[in-house]
Amino acid sequence: MVQLKKVLLLLIVLIAVGIILFDVGNSGTHSSGAGEIWWTEVEEIEQNF
Amino acid sequence: MGEANLDKKENIKSKFDLSSLWCREEWWTVWLGIVLIVAAVGNIITKPVLPARWGVEGAESILAAIPSEIIIGMLTTGLITLIIFAVAVFFSNCQELSDFLKGYPVIFLLSILAYVLGNYAPLRHYGFNDVIWALVIGLVISNLIKVPQFLQGAVRTGLYIKTGLVLLGASILFDRMLALGAMGLGVAWVVTPVVLIVMYWYSQKVLKMHENKGLAITIATATSVCGVSAAIASGTASKAKQEEITLAVSITLIFTVLMMVGMPAMVQLLGIDPIVGGAWLGGTIDATGAVVASSALLGSEAMEVASVIKMVQNILIGIIAFGIAVFWVTKYENKSTEEVNINFTEIFTRIPKFIFGFVGASLLFSFLLSEPIVASSLPVLNGFRGFFFTLAFISIGLDSNFKEMAQMVKGGKAIQLYIGGQLLNIVLTLLAAYIFFSGQFFNLPF
């Protein structure tokens, strides 16, 4: 069980790193992303009101 | 025995005295927040000048982060923040002022470095913002080098974080909660409290996280509401350890990356209607920017629904932080003095004081100030709030050690809590999104 948890955790981290390295979401085509954690700094949020 | 009880009661009741209003750092976070709000509303201060975004078209080089014309402005930002925090330190403990004055310039420069690194657009897209870099910088210095003595005087996590939280209150605008009518509230305000309560119950009854209640509630709020800002607000309201807030923020960051890419793919794979998909993403993905970026992949209408749902959900931070603060004071802090009845005065004395400023700022900006004043002053306050949180995370990093954090990860309970809670959140939000946004049960307003 402990080993399974470790493998699962490693897999999650590896997938996250993989996404970032291979840029699956293609950051170049978006104006915002996970780094915009304060909603008042996301332009689209204001525009949608 | 009866007399002893009475003594204890008297002792606790006499804890609040008027001088605490100007002698305690906690109250100063409220006063500083009020001063900044008045200055922003009165157009006395402008947005803090901080490093710009780079790694984008037209600003590829790192040098674009600090163009020469902003250097004076940045130094002014440093000077203004030095002065306001120095006033708080002076009144709360004047002997610590000289240490603070020596250390603050370095903390300020480290924060600027965190901003420069965090503003590199390609990495920022995946969550590596100034807050994360601030943590990394702080942790590297404290764990690999050792924090120099002169810096300690300016490592004041509570002062920075609570002042930032008072300012955060200003951007929690209750008048916006009806933007999508009852349907937005149905997704954002029904599922969120259910997930929060179930997660906390699960952490205590099943995972037995009795020693890490602060961590449990911080993870539960970050998962159910909105990631980092909710983690900061609930963690501070429950007086969680700074390592606990750090861990909650880190877990949130990793899963946000997975969800912002995985969930739109899932919507397309399952052939879910884009509007329902947008509502689903808006109610589940933690960071607001990630909600916008991922829902944009489903089209503009989906992005609109997702953004508004997220915004409506963000408003819940105020209510939840206030609820947690009161719950903690009445349920847990009362344990050592079981014989004392908790009344309003007791709650007032024990509750973290920033809550008053936080709720007050929210009510002021939601209901009392006119729309043009809110529109002109909010960017100023948001700029300072973001900067104060970066200062706070530099301090958290400088004050934390890897060993303690590793101890919390051990056993995997924190991650188990996050995954379990997020799965429940995903299922319940999909159900709510289908009920409220499929058009089968309610007429859509667009």
Side-chain angles (χ1 to χ4, degrees), chain B residues 276-291:
Chain B
V276 176
W280 191 31
L281 266 57
T284 47
I285 297 177
D286 294 332
T288 307
V291 165

Side-chain angles (χ1 to χ4, degrees), chain A residues 1-2 5 8-9 11-49, chain B residues 53 124-129 131 168 171-172 176 179 228-229 232 254-258 260-261 287-290 292-293 297 303-304 307-308 311 314 317 382 385 389 411 415-416 419:
Chain A
M1 190 63 184
V2 177
K5 276 184 192 171
L8 186 69
L9 183 63
L11 193 68
I12 289 166
V13 174
L14 282 179
I15 294 174
V17 172
I19 289 172
I20 297 164
L21 287 180
F22 301 107
D23 200 11
V24 180
N26 191 6
S27 69
T29 61
H30 301 296
S31 58
S32 51
E36 265 61 60
I37 46 181
W38 321 117
W39 61 93
T40 45
E41 283 156 27
V42 183
E43 222 172 89
E44 293 88 340
I45 291 278
E46 278 306 308
Q47 284 165 5
N48 286 326
F49 276 92
Chain B
R53 198 66 52 94
R124 188 181 176 93
H125 182 75
Y126 289 109
F128 293 92
N129 55 22
V131 164
L168 178 73
S171 39
I172 295 173
R176 296 191 173 187
V228 178
S229 28
I232 295 174
I254 294 169
F255 282 90
T256 300
V257 172
L258 301 185
M260 71 185 273
V261 173
T288 307
V292 172
L297 297 172
M303 190 185 80
E304 202 176 313
S307 315
V308 179
M311 184 67 180
N314 288 338
I317 300 178
N382 288 329
R385 183 247 295 150
F389 283 156
I415 292 162
Q416 214 173 317
I419 293 177

Side-chain angles (χ1 to χ4, degrees), chain B residues 213-218 231-241 244-245 321 324-325 328-329 332-333 352 354:
Chain B
K213 290 189 175 76
L215 175 64
I217 197 70
T218 307
I232 295 174
S234 62
T236 313
S238 64
K239 299 174 185 170
K241 289 182 214 152
E244 294 178 325
I245 298 178
I324 289 172
W328 241 251
V329 167
Y332 296 127
E333 291 189 12
F354 80 89

